[in-house]
Amino acid sequence: MKVSQLDGIGAKRAKSLWDAGIFSIDDLLAHYPRDYDDRSNVKTIRELTTDAVNTIRGVVTTPAENSMVRRKNTSMLNITRLTITDHTGSLDLIWFNQPYLANTFKPDWEYIFTGKVKATFDGKLQMQPTEYEPCGKLELTGGRIVPIYTTPKQFTQKTFRAFIHQALEKWNGCEEPLPASYREKYDLMDKKAAVVNIHFPESNQMFLNARRRLVFEELFFMQRALFSVKDSIISQPGVRFESTELADFLGQLPFALTSPQANVLEEIKADVTGGGRMNRLIQGDVGSGKTAVAMAAAYMAMQNGYQVALMAPTDVLANQHFGQCSQVFGALGIETVLLTGNLGAKSRRESLEKIKNGQASMITGTHALFQEGVEYHNLGLVITDEQHRFGVEQRLRLAQKASIHPHTLVMTATPIPRTLGLVLYGDLDVSIIDQLPPGRQPIETYCVNTAYRQRLQAFIQKEATAGRQAYIICPAIEEAEETSETERAKREIQNVMNYTEQLSAALPDVKITYLHGKMKPKDKQQTMDSFKAGEIQAIVSTTVIEVGVNVPNATLMIIENAERFGLSQLHQLRGRVGRGSQKSYCVLVTDGKAKVTKARMKAMVDTSDGFMLAELDLKLRGAGDFFGTRQHGLPNFTIANLYRDMEVLKQAQAAAVESLPMAAAEEKSLNAHLQHVLATTRSSVM
Ligand code: ADP
Ligand code: MG
């Protein structure tokens, strides 16, 4: 049924609904309230609460009256007054500048009003109603939990609410996508009741049940959809590697693999020799040695005659990979090339040529790797590093570059809780490296306030004198212009440029420089190279340094305005030090006094376990940190809120892997709904 078939929807309103993507009654009913106002407690006049919004029923005693008063600024104000009574007393109602209301209310009729109640100077109570309607069979503005919508143009809350109600009355119900066995096991109300109660809850409990049912449904199908994408990828025939001999490669490494590294490598071997297509995520804390595992997988592919592409999210990281690969693979007679968006024309042409003719087997770079004009020669393995920076879409685009279906390996150092992992990486198999290489000393972490600045400078001096290096992270690049009061507060935010200047003045003997995202890639690279070479002792930077950078001689990490970063991010930043055999330190600087800030800083000081910090971050900050700007490629949820609905998510995930018995008709409807979710998720995610 179309929305235009509802009474009262004319051309203008229909157009407005279409603009909002609402065409059918089903669409309209899928437009859930954004909030609710509990007006179920209707009071008597004697029970009214002053300075609060109340809902009341009352009979109009005399016709309403308009009067005009002059305001201080000499403009005129119309006041409409109405008196109502109930069995406990009488009450004055007033409205401003709505003179037409005077004709709306009929004496002796009973109405329901909602509005704020105030005491006047002479101690009488007065209400300024925002909503009203005659009492009778249809009461939508009060005496119940009232839904509040994000209303399309041409609709007020009151009119939109009335149309939703009308739609529900004319609605024939919908198909039930969740089979009875699931509804029973997970104690879920049926779809029709859920839709009715999400709009007009019969009670608070019914609302909670309705919401839980709809959230479950959304998460259940999203998870099933991801699993089915995973199945379809894995069931594609992949290139089969004949040899997985790694002795030569391992001989080039200056260390032996840790046992989790070796285990992950075994899982990879099983994937690439099984005839299917590998689609695997390696999740491992910062510094756990994911690169060595990725390089081993790359070596396997190259031994079997395939090219390998290794994609990093930043130039700095791509260059680092290029350096590592050139060194290790170069010694084994394998050529590595670099391809980023910032190569000179000549180098770019050379790289492209070597990729195309297969002279280079190992290709490192940024997302430039899957742009137009890059032609691969037998691409058999695609590796993406620091996956949390890439969307599913980019991952797939790179894989599509190959004429065959290459294996994919993705790596992330963002230790995310398992439940969220299933959402983010539901289409991937997951391997975990849960142990750091031996010989690492734990990083000592402190939290101090800005009064410690001088002592911190002395600390930097001490490390530099001992031949070691330091990072200082600031949230901003430059000083913000002061345009307003709030802007002025931003002065408290440390910025890279000023900080570098002040630190250089304070420590004239220490070689200090800066690094930030707005610098030219070439300059960034040069800065990183000199830092790596030990020519620079302290580097003041924004979080561009966060991803994957490896300078074992760096032993001190200072993070200014630490309260502004998520725990996972702080943990990643901290992971830039403690990579060598020297004792390393991380100092969090904050003047933040909020309880949450204190709790978060304490967590950083107390634990070095990335997974625990991730769980805690989720509790303290909410899922936004995981699913906000730092994560891409996630489906948009209509009703679920991954933070609030973590418990339902767990159940929905359990249900998604479970196969409970169901009738043939139910199976059909479940699959139809799954296809629908897949189609809509693909278009938004992939
Ligand atoms: P991440 O997992 O954060 O990407 P890297 O791969 O950069 O970590 O490794 C961090 C450091 O640990 C590097 O200097 C690397 O050479 C070293 N490393 C990796 N594996 C081992 C190992 N098994 N034993 C000793 N050092 C290792
Ligand atoms: Mg890394």
Side-chain angles (χ1 to χ4, degrees), residues 96-355:
F96 299 112
N97 281 337
Q98 297 179 65
Y100 56 89
L101 284 178
N103 302 322
T104 307
F105 300 102
K106 301 191 184 96
D108 299 332
W109 280 45
E110 193 183 22
Y111 294 84
I112 183 162
F113 300 92
T114 297
K116 194 155 185 181
V117 173
K118 285 183 185 157
T120 59
F121 63 94
D122 55 359
K124 281 182 75 182
L125 293 188
Q126 195 176 63
M127 177 189 263
Q128 289 180 26
T130 48
E131 291 202 68
Y132 56 84
E133 68 189 324
C135 295
K137 62 180 189 336
L138 235 195
E139 288 179 20
L140 298 180
T141 68
R144 58 164 73 236
I145 298 171
V146 173
I148 297 172
Y149 296 92
T150 305
T151 51
K153 283 192 199 105
Q154 311 288 341
F155 292 90
T156 62
Q157 283 299 335
K158 196 170 164 180
T159 52
F160 194 75
R161 199 184 292 142
F163 281 116
I164 294 269
H165 192 269
Q166 194 196 138
L168 280 171
E169 302 237 289
K170 297 190 169 156
W171 188 48
N172 303 322
C174 56
E175 266 202 73
E176 171 57 77
L178 280 175
S181 49
Y182 285 83
R183 294 203 315 271
E184 196 168 313
K185 172 156 183 190
Y186 293 97
D187 193 19
L188 301 165
M189 67 162 64
D190 67 73
K191 175 101 183 209
K192 184 164 185 191
V195 173
V196 169
N197 277 281
I198 204 71
H199 289 291
F200 292 102
E202 277 168 41
S203 65
N204 211 21
Q205 192 54 50
M206 286 297 269
F207 159 71
L208 292 175
N209 293 350
R211 186 173 181 284
R212 181 168 164 274
R213 143 79 212 215
L214 296 171
V215 167
F216 184 98
E217 177 186 317
E218 183 167 36
L219 294 174
F220 172 81
F221 281 102
M222 183 269 313
Q223 198 65 64
R224 284 280 272 235
L226 284 167
F227 288 155
S228 92
V229 170
K230 171 172 161 178
D231 285 347
S232 74
I233 293 176
I234 292 175
S235 62
Q236 284 167 347
V239 290
R240 190 193 295 269
F241 295 172
E242 301 302 330
S243 151
T244 54
E245 185 51 54
L246 285 171
D248 290 347
F249 167 80
L250 295 175
Q252 287 297 319
L253 294 181
F255 46 74
L257 294 182
T258 62
S259 64
Q261 279 175 319
N263 291 341
V264 174
L265 209 46
E266 287 308 314
E267 291 176 322
I268 292 173
K269 277 184 193 173
D271 290 342
V272 296
T273 53
R277 195 173 161 201
M278 173 166 73
N279 196 36
R280 184 170 291 281
L281 170 76
I282 306 181
Q283 206 178 4
D285 216 337
V286 278
S288 60
K290 296 183 289 294
T291 319
V293 175
M295 284 170 68
Y299 182 75
M300 259 187 258
M302 296 187 291
Q303 282 310 96
N304 287 277
Y306 295 102
Q307 255 182 346
V308 179
L310 169 54
M311 176 165 77
T314 64
D315 278 64
V316 167
L317 196 53
N319 271 284
Q320 182 174 295
H321 286 148
F322 175 65
Q324 276 170 341
C325 291
S326 304
Q327 194 189 351
V328 174
F329 294 137
L332 297 162
I334 296 169
E335 180 160 356
T336 302
V337 288
L338 176 71
L339 187 65
T340 66
N342 300 295
L343 289 185
K346 182 158 164 278
S347 318
R348 180 179 159 80
R349 214 175 319 117
E350 268 172 27
S351 287
L352 287 178
E353 187 55 34
K354 285 181 179 170
I355 296 169

Side-chain angles (χ1 to χ4, degrees), residues 44-45 213 301 309 323 327 438 462 468-469 653:
T44 61
I45 289 172
R213 143 79 212 215
Q327 194 189 351
K462 184 169 155 246
R468 295 185 286 266
Q469 292 161 286
Q653 285 172 334

